[in-house]
Amino acid sequence: MSEVNAAPTRPGANGDVVIDVQHLTKKFDGRAVVRDLSMQVKRGTIYGFLGPNGSGKTTTIRMLCGLLTPDEGTGTCLGYDIRTQTDKIKTQVGYMTQRFSLYQDLSVRENLEFIGRIYGLENPRAAARAAIKRLGLSGREDQLAGELSGGWKQRLALGACTLPAPQLLLLDEPTAGVDPKARREFWNEIHALAADGLTVLVSTHYMDEAERCHEIAYIAYGELLVHGTVKHVIAASHLTTYVVSANSGALNELSQDLTGKPGVDMVAPFGTSLHVSGRDGAALEAGIAPYRRRADLDWKKSEPSLEDVFIDLMIKAQDNFK
Amino acid sequence: MSHIIPSETPRRRQGNGFWRKTWAVLIKEFIQLQRDRVSFGMIVMIPLMQLLLFGYAINTTPRNLPTAVLLQERSDVGRSILAAFANTGYFRVTELPATEAELDRLLASGKVLFGVEIPANFERALRRGEVPSMLVIADATDPVAAGSALGALNRVVQTALAHDYAIPDAGAPAFEIRTHARYNPAGKTELNIVPGLVGTILTMTMLIFTALSVTREIERGTMENLLAMPITPIEIMLGKILPYVVVGFVQAAMIIGVGIVLFHVPVLGSLFVLAGLSTLFIATNLSIGYTFSTVAQNQLQAMQMSIMFFLPNILLSGFMFPFAGMPVWAQWVGEMLPLTHYLRIVRSIMLKGATLSDLHYDALAMAGLMLVAMTIAVTRFRRTLD
């Protein structure tokens, strides 16, 4: 009988929602960095957290793992209260900080063993050895962590936060400054971990990475503006987009002409093409009509990219903020 | 985005611009100095502290030194001699022990620096012109403190007595003052300095070790990772202090060993008690350093706090200048410093053969200071990044 009563406080018992927070607000010196943020993340999901610099991504992640106390709002992480049970949360969460935060003057192996000991692994040496092998760091285990290149540092950091086999991974811009190959390998790793039932919350600036997530959320000025699958987010934007191809001189000129025209909300260059988007389809059509007849420009209607959607959201949020 | 590049190309000055660039760095440094309030405070505090301490607290010819008087007879002459002692300004009678054993204990524990013994039948012998002798025992562990007082003794007491009792001051003294420089009869300063150095060196090195330990984690960004892990502030504190207890112990053993071999400093008391109380002293300093580390915002501030703490330790603990010679307020400050207590302990054990029961006050004081420091450190330690 008592087990039934105890059930709701057990990790993951709350349906299969791993993160469940409502109306989180965090202020620094009276300035709200996160405002009224609510979100749910299900077990086994890779949840992408997107937003411009200073939008409150890191602050939200820190509130989830007990590094910051929310000023307002409530919620649970792995079934534990994020205000009162941070000690419990910390034992089950792997947190990869934005800045490399392992000991630069310890070797790869020493760093991993240290973490293994803190989390109380039975055999930290063996765990570290296994992790070194898994991460492909064999041969570098005695190198100082500070001497590793960016890609290897990131791999080590991922290995460190997964070492105690946590139930939830919080990754704060894990691929910033990492080359494309290492990034791809990193994401393959994340998907493999998620397939094993691990829940991953990952913040990023990269649109291609957003598309690798099961679900995404976009946050700007501390507010969660939209969330759902990539498809859902794009569809919900109601954005009409045209892709214009031409030589670069003509595009540059066109870009300047179109910016600020009624109906045209966004003009963004993408290499040899230009994305022209508007929230009101009819108004956009009217706005670009004079240019569509030009022979040197090739107009194509297309689906907006995730980046178009996000930049649009950001502009809207900025308008609301003013 | 095109607005990032200025539309009008700014014009540049001609020439190498040596002073202009120097000026640019100078302005930057001033701004940074102004931001760093603690450094700014140090610029004011350190000279002020030095001036006040050297000017008011330190006295190299100390006066009012605590003295115990053992009167074997109750007589007018005895009282008169006591009054004369006090009149010299060097002695202050604080204890009136009843037995010699009690007098010895007072000296061994460091409660008094002088013991005066006036034997029975002193007055009668004096009146008969037998030239009786009285005994003045000086704690000579610190030859400087004892020296000037002893120098003043003979002359002043003699004249006082002559004045009071019209005992002819005809060259030959009516009685004899036998002085006994106990513990360091040869008056070797190194016997006093070497044990003192054990404490001073330990204070400096231990403070620095832990003063940087938390600020370093913050500055290197490793604190965020550490705080996200399941570990408590007490665990972090003990984990950071304990290794240096071993380091400090090795250091103390080395200094004492060199002192014994090269300077022939004796260890009259128990090495075991010395080791135990030294460990306590090491842990106390490490705790204080760690406390600074939790209060300071960066490594520079932590260093500055350590220096601010080290300064009174050197000046007011009795290491450089006699503790008993300082004004009462300075003695109170001194009592707050672990080095003051450790100096009494280390000197008493090594030079006087003091036992734990002689030193329990100083040992408890150090333990108390350690607990206060640890409590502050644990409460000051920020468990979140709020």
Side-chain angles (χ1 to χ4, degrees), chain B residues 162-174:
Chain B
H163 184 77
D164 276 12
Y165 291 93
I167 292 168
D169 187 13

Side-chain angles (χ1 to χ4, degrees), chain B residues 44 71 105 109 129 148 180 211 215 267 285 339:
Chain B
V44 179
L71 290 170
R105 243 198 332 275
S109 69
S148 44
H180 182 196
T215 40
V267 183
N285 279 307
L339 184 58

Side-chain angles (χ1 to χ4, degrees), chain A residues 2 20 46 57 73 79 101 139 214 234 239 244 261 267 270 282 285 292-293 304:
Chain A
S2 59
D20 187 6
I46 301 176
K57 301 190 296 285
S101 62
H214 298 132
I234 290 175
L239 215 55
V244 195
K261 278 262 155 30
V267 182
F270 276 82
E285 301 281 356
R292 294 198 65 177
R293 285 188 287 274

Side-chain angles (χ1 to χ4, degrees), chain A residues 26 62 67 69 90 95 103, chain B residues 217 219 224 227 385-386:
Chain A
K26 181 73 193 175
R62 284 175 173 173
L67 279 180
T69 320
K90 286 175 185 177
Y95 172 40
Y103 294 95
Chain B
E217 299 252 8
E219 276 185 28
E224 190 179 358
L227 289 179
L385 301 169
D386 282 292

Side-chain angles (χ1 to χ4, degrees), chain B residues 150-168:
Chain B
L150 285 181
L153 199 59
N154 262 317
R155 185 172 32 82
V156 182
V157 174
Q158 204 80 25
T159 34
L161 227 52
H163 184 77
D164 276 12
Y165 291 93
I167 292 168

